[in-house]
Amino acid sequence: MSTSRRWRRCIDWVLTTDKRQRIRLAMTSLATLIMVCCIVLMNGLAFAGVVPDHRPVLWWTLFCAAGLVVFYVLIRSGWSRRLRDPSLTQAQMFYAIACNAVAYAIAGPARGITPPILAVTLMFGIFGLSTRQMLGVLFYGLAVFGIASVVSAWRGDPGYSPALAAAYLVMIAIVLLSGTFLTTRVQSTREHLRRQKHELAQALARISSIATRDELTGLLNRRAMLELMELEHRRSLRNGRPLVLAQLDIDHFKPINDTHGHATGDRALQAFADTVRANMRDTDVLARWGGEEFVLMLADTQPDDARALLDRIRLAVAALALPTTSGPLRMTVSAGLAQHLPGDAVEHTLERADQALYTAKALGRNRVAAAAPISALRSPAAR
């Protein structure tokens, strides 16, 4: 096994292969690295004699290391997933601030190193915590550093200066307030971006609907239906399954507009579309082709089954009674169907269905007519 592969396997074991878990553990590892640097720094200062008493630093080191291990195990094991915050961001920040405050209390003359470390700790919460959570961090930080300041004054370390301690507390308060303010601004920006993203998604959905749907009936429009038929044509070539296209036309629709008005005509179109949709299968696709003309695509359907379905639709439309001021309005529909030939163009099949529709109209309307069968089209006489 190569060194790079071993290294990759080691990283996968530490951070797991789950994408979200890797992000959580990577952030925890970064926080751990910062804490380890602080531990090394504190112990270095104690070894150099800057920190008066080395024993509290040792206990502080054990406390910090134990917390790091606990947080890693909780996240790595997946236990934290049952919580609202699987990353344990706020809990880790509370722990880090407590460690920082203890370091402030025991560092003696070196306590000035804690405010910059506190600022780094707060950076983890700016992008991971809400404003409410960050306010909790603010008040918690003020409280624990207030206690640490009292403990530091009570210890009476050599060279302790009340004025300098007060300056440190002011600096710590500024760091905490600044972190809370930045979190508020970041959360406000994220909420604004989230709202913009939602509005953009809604606008794109409306544009897509306008581009592919008929505004009046909600059916696919001519352009979208042509694209869908081309896709179905290619699918039919691959799997050899039958495909039938049908042209539907509402009989004598112009008198409806002339007699009852265009508003009633629009209602008639909507009622017709709803009636057809209620009687076709889930796999069938209906589109408004233009005016009172519609196209129905029947995938994986034999011509006889398509004719039976169209007859059912025809009877349902004939039974429809649309209420108007002058009484119920009734409609009928004529339909022509054609089986799609695998080697033919969709446009040609539509022309054959349209010719069958004209046949149905010529035979008296309110009926279904089928184009010539495939066998007839391919016979020498047909040629």
Side-chain angles (χ1 to χ4, degrees), residues 242-324:
L243 173 64
V244 174
L245 301 180
Q247 293 261 19
L248 296 83
D249 186 86
I250 301 176
D251 298 324
H252 304 297
F253 185 76
K254 187 175 184 302
I256 295 177
N257 278 331
D258 296 341
T259 304
H260 301 280
H262 288 283
T264 301
D266 289 346
R267 289 173 52 217
L269 289 171
Q270 291 170 336
F272 173 81
D274 292 340
T275 302
V276 176
R277 277 185 293 206
N279 286 275
M280 67 186 198
R281 304 166 305 180
D282 292 338
T283 55
D284 302 331
V285 182
L286 179 66
R288 187 180 180 190
W289 208 243
E292 68 275 16
E293 296 180 0
F294 298 81
V295 168
L296 182 62
M297 182 172 67
L298 308 168
D300 197 13
T301 306
Q302 296 293 342
D304 290 342
D305 296 330
R307 182 158 194 155
L309 186 144
L310 288 168
D311 271 322
R312 186 167 69 247
I313 290 173
R314 180 182 61 82
L315 293 174
V317 172
L320 182 65
L322 187 67
T324 65

Side-chain angles (χ1 to χ4, degrees), residues 195-236:
R195 188 165 53 250
Q196 280 189 329
K197 183 179 180 180
H198 178 68
E199 292 173 353
L200 180 59
Q202 288 183 321
L204 288 175
R206 286 195 297 268
I207 292 171
S208 176
S209 179
I210 292 171
T212 61
R213 295 281 174 179
D214 173 60
E215 185 177 359
L216 179 64
T217 62
L219 301 175
L220 290 179
N221 59 24
R222 185 174 187 139
R223 176 182 176 183
M225 187 61 162
L226 281 172
E227 293 178 355
L228 194 59
M229 286 190 294
E230 286 294 337
L231 289 174
E232 196 60 43
H233 163 69
R234 291 195 288 270
R235 189 178 293 114
S236 179

Side-chain angles (χ1 to χ4, degrees), residues 104 111 149 152-153 160-172:
Y104 178 86
R111 64 175 54 92
S149 181
S152 178
Y160 176 80
S161 169
L164 187 59
Y168 285 150
L169 280 179
V170 170
M171 184 181 298
I172 289 169

